[in-house]
Amino acid sequence: MKFLRVAIVLIASGYVLLMIPDNAAPPFRPATSTPFTWRLDERWQNLQSQFEALRMLPAKQLDSLAQIHQENLTHTFTTLQQTDTASVTSRCDEFLDIFFDAAPVMAASRNSYRYLELYLQFRRWVKEQSALRNVNHFTHRNTLYKLLYGTRAAVEEVLLQSDTVNFNPAQFVRDEPSSTPHTVLQGIRVHSGDLLVSRGGAEVSAFISRGNDYPGNFSHVALLHVDDGGVARFIEAHIEKGVAVATAEDYLNDRKLRFMVLRPLADLPQIKENPMLPHLVATFAKQKTEQRHIPYDFKMDFYDSAAMFCSEVGSFAYKKYGIQLWQAESTISSAGTAEWLNTFGVENFVTQMPSDLEYDPQLSIVAEWC
């Protein structure tokens, strides 16, 4: 009996020792890239001051100002679409400046409909243009980021002041053709092989979405599978359980502040050769997930598929079929951010972050739900 008690004590002591975290975090080295910075704090403050002053004007005067800004934006965008390739970057910067200038007027007048409509047209055009440029080039990548992230930020500031009673949270950008099985999710037609980037409500979601060199709006990626009967399943990696298959109900019930639907371009050579390729990709990922338990990849090493983090699920499956996503890899060069992530086991700071998938020129922005 005494021996049994001693054995139990020893086993319990050993268990407690094993539960103590190892204080020696794995070695790490942040990326050596240059983080994007706006350096426009004074500009943002001026726009805020303009908005506060504009709110004091009569509605009729505000409507007149909104009309002037809208016409200027429309004209500038029309000119931009006709601009030669050599001058398009400077013209894009001009459009962005005008778009920012219009934001306080649109917000004060609560005249957001046409502003939002033009934003969606512009975003579709920007993504089309991105396919013509090398997104690994520093200048091109910064321009693409400024245009997509900057215009969204301005629109969201306007929408915060708008009457949202009749606002449709499903914002359609481009109906990219697809031959794969489809269904409807939150009013959006989605296809097998689509990638959905989303932002959760937890604090860690905010950190993931903004923790890399190009702070973004998304913290999670899921690969969609739709069967011939229109039943949707989401293949996604979670910290607490690794890679799993979720129903559409489970996916939506897992709190999301927003999500965006991305779809491979129909004119990619691989898809032109086999229009059902995205569905084969999703089927492959689903079958692999059902065949074995795939643990979560805390190292964020997308070269090793033994374990996977959320971005890696779609990346690995598409790579098997000849499409390399994240043509511009994500980088985390902040020493403080890298050190904090390293305490959770992250070892790779040139990786694939959810927000950066939006800027992949192989993907079309289909719609966003917010």
Side-chain angles (χ1 to χ4, degrees):
M1 190 70 176
K2 181 178 179 181
F3 173 79
L4 181 59
R5 285 199 298 270
V6 171
I8 291 172
V9 170
L10 288 173
I11 292 171
S13 299
Y15 177 76
V16 170
L17 287 172
L18 289 172
M19 291 295 290
I20 297 174
D22 183 1
N23 289 326
F28 73 96
R29 181 179 298 172
T32 56
S33 302
T34 303
F36 177 88
T37 52
W38 285 97
R39 294 192 177 93
L40 292 174
D41 289 353
E42 186 176 349
R43 178 78 186 279
W44 310 143
Q45 292 169 2
N46 287 338
L47 290 173
Q48 175 65 30
S49 299
Q50 290 173 33
F51 168 67
E52 292 171 357
L54 286 163
R55 285 198 301 176
M56 307 304 293
L57 295 179
K60 188 174 182 179
Q61 188 175 349
L62 276 174
D63 288 342
S64 178
L65 285 172
Q67 180 68 24
I68 292 170
H69 277 276
Q70 188 68 45
E71 290 174 357
N72 189 21
L73 272 173
T74 302
H75 173 73
T76 305
F77 182 43
T78 300
T79 303
L80 177 60
Q81 292 172 291
Q82 300 167 353
T83 301
D84 61 274
T85 304
S87 307
V88 75
T89 298
S90 59
R91 284 295 180 91
C92 280
D93 287 340
E94 178 188 354
F95 178 86
L96 187 59
D97 282 340
I98 296 172
F99 199 83
F100 285 156
D101 287 339
V105 179
M106 300 302 179
S109 66
R110 300 192 173 188
N111 192 349
S112 62
Y113 175 73
R114 292 182 62 195
Y115 188 69
L116 176 61
E117 187 178 59
L118 184 60
Y119 158 69
L120 295 173
Q121 293 173 13
F122 176 72
R123 188 159 62 155
R124 180 170 61 246
W125 179 83
V126 169
K127 283 292 290 180
E128 291 169 354
Q129 290 294 305
S130 74
L132 307 176
R133 285 167 176 67
N134 178 9
V135 291
N136 283 296
H137 188 283
F138 181 76
T139 301
H140 292 160
R141 186 171 185 180
N142 278 5
T143 298
L144 181 61
Y145 174 78
K146 282 193 303 183
L147 296 175
L148 291 180
Y149 184 87
T151 50
R152 177 192 285 116
V155 163
E156 291 188 350
E157 289 296 323
V158 170
L159 290 177
L160 284 172
Q161 307 300 326
S162 299
D163 178 7
T164 57
V165 174
N166 297 313
F167 176 71
N168 182 2
Q171 299 299 313
F172 299 93
V173 182
R174 176 189 173 95
D175 186 16
E176 185 68 33
S178 177
S179 300
T180 69
H182 60 85
T183 189
V184 175
L185 184 72
Q186 298 293 88
I188 301 169
R189 178 168 162 160
V190 291
H191 283 260
S192 194
D194 286 356
L195 294 142
L196 277 74
V197 288
S198 59
R199 164 71 188 275
E203 290 81 357
V204 69
S205 295
F207 185 84
I208 293 171
S209 66
R210 304 193 60 77
N212 69 339
D213 288 343
Y214 289 85
N217 297 106
F218 305 100
S219 58
H220 186 65
V221 184
L223 176 61
L224 175 65
H225 178 275
V226 182
D227 66 20
D228 292 333
V231 177
R233 293 288 186 272
F234 291 84
I235 305 98
E236 50 186 348
H238 292 282
I239 290 174
E240 66 275 13
K241 59 184 177 183
V243 183
V245 178
T247 65
E249 183 180 9
D250 289 338
Y251 177 80
L252 293 173
N253 285 341
D254 186 12
R255 187 185 178 201
K256 289 174 174 58
L257 302 180
R258 66 167 83 236
F259 69 77
M260 175 187 288
V261 180
L262 299 169
R263 184 174 302 152
L265 298 175
D267 61 1
L268 290 179
Q270 301 91 329
I271 295 179
K272 288 177 71 174
E273 183 179 342
N274 183 359
M276 290 296 288
L277 185 145
H279 180 57
L280 298 178
V281 167
T283 302
F284 168 78
K286 182 173 178 288
Q287 289 174 346
K288 286 293 181 183
T289 303
E290 293 170 340
Q291 287 170 4
R292 72 176 179 93
H293 171 65
I294 305 173
Y296 190 83
D297 181 9
F298 288 93
K299 294 181 180 181
M300 292 179 67
D301 180 4
F302 63 90
Y303 292 106
D304 183 0
S305 60
M308 295 187 190
F309 60 103
C310 68
S311 300
E312 197 174 355
V313 173
S315 172
F316 171 75
Y318 266 101
K319 188 175 181 180
K320 284 288 184 180
Y321 284 82
I323 297 176
Q324 177 64 65
L325 299 178
W326 278 271
Q327 289 198 344
E329 294 173 338
S330 306
T331 54
I332 302 171
S333 58
S334 165
T337 301
E339 182 177 6
W340 189 85
L341 287 171
N342 185 241
T343 63
F344 291 93
V346 178
E347 297 179 17
N348 298 275
F349 300 98
V350 177
T351 186
Q352 297 173 334
M353 297 290 277
S355 284
D356 287 339
L357 191 62
E358 178 181 0
Y359 308 104
D360 192 315
Q362 302 167 106
L363 300 173
S364 177
I365 299 173
V366 175
E368 184 171 2
W369 182 89
C370 54

